[in-house]
Each structure stands twice: as C-alpha cells, then as structure tokens.
C-alpha cells in the first residue's frame, strides 16, 4: 500500500483515540437511571465449591442475593473463585455444600437445561462454553432451544424456522458476519461472536442474567454496546449478576 504518514498520539486523549478507532464518539460512562430493585430472584446460601487446582476450597460458605431490577457485581483477581462460583450457579459443576434458589425453587441439583428455563449465561470463555465454532451462526443461535416446538416437528429441526429466528436476532443485535446466518462462527470477529451470544441469551427473556467478563478482549465500541444491553435488561426488571 501507499505510505500516508503516521498519527501523533502524544497529546491525544483516550476519548479521541477511541473515536479514531470506531469512527464515532464513545461514551466511557455507562448512562443509567437509579436501580429499582424488586423481589429476590437468586438466593445463594452457604455455597462451597472445591478448587480444581489446590486443596483449599475456591468458594467457601458464600451467601448473597440478586433482586429483580438490579445488577450485583462480584469483583476480584482471576483465580480467586469467580469461575467456580459461576460453574456452581449455572450447573457446569456441583457445589460441595449450600443451596441455590432461583425464582423461589431450589435448583441446587437441577440440570443445566432446567436451570436455563429462567437463567441465561454469558460465559467467561466464549469459545469453550459459549459457541460451537465450527457450527453456523444460525445453529449457535438455537443451541439451547432447538428442541422447542417453534424449531422442531416430530423430532426433526425445521431449518427454515431456525433461519428466520437467526436472521431476526442478527438484525436486532447488529451481529456482523460474512454470510449472515450461514456464516461459520469461527470466521467471525470476537466482538461479533460475543454479540451473537448476548443476542441468544437475552432473547431467552431470562429472570436472571449471569454475565461473566462479558466485555473481555473486545474493542471500545463493542464494550459500550454490551454495557447498554446489560443495563437495558436491568431496566426491564431482570436480575443481573
């Protein structure tokens, strides 16, 4: 290509750099009205999770609540038990002790599919737990719903219904890919892979949204978009962890 010079960023502010990157001004402050918490949606009592890497417990006797219309945040250094906590909540692993109550029902021993009726999960690792990278975008959009009546008949998946649903989510959540619904997910950018997961999980209309590092590794434009989506769920009266 032709050399056109360099950009001097010495006196450039973060906001100006971000605007150069994404082609518009980016708001680093998350705009949101005051929370209006309602009933308790998730209640965790005395949860303990064993560690996979050492003899001590990764999560020890933890209790907390998440109410409708609020965002509860758990912060800490990687490796301090956040991953194990989420595994216990979502069914990816079994707690050593304690109870998990979702919408008034004890789900401590419930299957992942049963928990998924009222819970959505934006996972920490979008490649390991969020997507099947060699599947198409449309197949990934129905990973947790393909057995429902709107997508299958007599045990056979109705591809036209899946395509219609996927096309709707792609347009609604601005998921960009080369071939639309038929795109192999591995070929998509990280930001659009994450948008696809968020579209799928939010469209399930969950009572509880568990979002684990939902903006990790993404550009400032995608981060701003995802923050807006999470706050919008709170404003609809969802519980967000």
């Amino acid at each position: 290509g032709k050399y056109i010079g360099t950009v001097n960023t010495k006196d450039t502010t973060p906001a100006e750099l971000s605007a150069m990157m994404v082609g518009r001004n980016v708001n680093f402050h998350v705009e949101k009205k005051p929370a209006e918490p309602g009933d308790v949606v998730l209640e965790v009592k005395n949860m303990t999770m064993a560690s996979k890497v050492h003899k001590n417990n990764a999560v020890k006797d933890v209790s907390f609540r998440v109410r409708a219309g609020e965002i509860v945040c758990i912060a800490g250094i990687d490796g301090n038990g956040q991953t194990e906590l989420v595994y216990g909540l979502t069914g990816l692993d079994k707690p050593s002790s304690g109870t998990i109550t979702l919408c008034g029902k004890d789900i401590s021993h419930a299957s992942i599919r049963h928990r998924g009726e009222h819970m959505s999960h934006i996972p920490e690792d979008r490649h390991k737990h969020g997507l099947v990278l060699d599947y198409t975008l449309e197949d990934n959009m129905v990973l947790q719903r393909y057995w429902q009546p709107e997508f299958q008949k007599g045990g056979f998946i109705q591809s036209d219904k899946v395509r219609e649903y996927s096309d709707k989510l792609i347009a609604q959540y601005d998921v960009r890919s080369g071939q639309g619904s038929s795109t192999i997910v591995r070929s998509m950018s990280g930001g659009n892979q994450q948008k696809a997961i968020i579209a799928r999980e939010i469209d399930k209309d969950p009572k509880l949204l568990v979002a684990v590092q939902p903006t990790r590794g993404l550009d400032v434009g995608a981060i701003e978009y995802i923050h807006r989506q999470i706050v919008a769920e709170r404003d609809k009266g969802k519980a967000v962890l």
Side-chain angles (χ1 to χ4, degrees):
K2 182 181 177 183
Y3 176 73
I4 57 171
T6 57
V7 177
N8 180 5
T9 60
K10 180 181 176 183
D11 300 314
T12 307
T13 67
E16 289 170 335
L17 277 173
S18 300
M20 291 177 187
M21 289 167 61
V22 300
R24 60 179 172 80
N25 290 328
V26 177
N27 188 1
F28 287 95
H29 176 70
V30 181
E31 299 288 348
K32 59 183 185 294
K33 63 184 182 182
E36 298 179 7
D39 296 335
V40 173
V41 172
L42 173 71
E43 182 164 17
V44 177
K45 287 185 178 179
N46 308 114
M47 178 195 267
T48 296
M49 297 287 299
S51 172
K52 300 284 188 184
V53 296
H54 52 69
K55 293 181 180 179
N56 296 325
N57 289 317
V59 177
K60 185 178 180 181
D61 198 29
V62 167
S63 301
F64 62 92
R65 292 176 171 181
V66 187
R67 296 174 293 176
E70 76 173 353
I71 299 172
V72 172
C73 297
I74 296 174
I77 299 167
D78 262 359
N80 280 9
Q82 300 95 313
T83 298
E84 290 85 352
L85 174 67
V86 171
Y87 279 19
L89 290 176
T90 57
L92 290 168
D93 207 349
K94 294 181 179 179
S96 305
S97 61
T99 59
I100 307 164
T101 305
L102 181 62
C103 299
K105 295 182 179 179
D106 188 338
I107 61 163
S108 306
H109 304 288
S111 67
I112 292 176
R113 181 177 289 191
H114 180 70
R115 294 179 200 220
E117 292 175 5
H118 296 295
M119 178 192 300
S120 284
H121 177 205
I122 300 169
E124 179 178 11
D125 188 332
R126 58 180 165 265
H127 291 169
K128 185 176 181 181
H129 290 128
L131 301 161
V132 181
L133 294 175
D134 291 319
Y135 278 16
T136 60
L137 180 53
E138 61 190 357
D139 286 344
N140 274 280
M141 290 298 201
V142 296
L143 275 182
Q144 299 155 321
R145 302 180 66 179
Y146 63 87
W147 64 85
Q148 294 176 350
E150 62 186 291
F151 299 118
Q152 63 89 20
K153 188 174 183 179
F156 291 90
I157 296 174
Q158 296 182 288
S159 57
D160 57 333
K161 299 292 186 185
V162 171
R163 174 64 59 88
E164 182 181 337
Y165 176 71
S166 176
D167 286 348
K168 183 194 82 169
L169 288 191
I170 287 170
Q172 186 176 340
Y173 289 86
D174 191 31
V175 183
R176 302 186 183 188
S177 60
Q179 290 82 43
S181 286
S182 62
T183 304
I184 300 300
V185 167
R186 186 182 295 278
S187 70
M188 293 167 56
S189 70
N192 283 295
Q193 289 175 351
Q194 192 75 345
K195 277 186 178 181
I197 293 171
I198 285 167
R200 181 185 70 207
E201 298 304 316
I202 288 178
D203 198 71
K204 285 170 60 182
D205 197 28
K207 300 290 186 184
L208 171 69
L209 174 63
V210 179
V212 191
Q213 303 199 50
T215 59
R216 174 189 257 176
L218 303 183
D219 68 72
V220 289
I223 289 170
E224 181 191 43
Y225 174 88
I226 289 165
H227 282 164
R228 286 203 310 267
Q229 296 300 321
I230 291 172
V231 170
E233 286 304 289
R234 184 207 70 166
D235 291 345
K236 291 178 195 170
K238 311 299 184 183
V240 182
L241 178 65

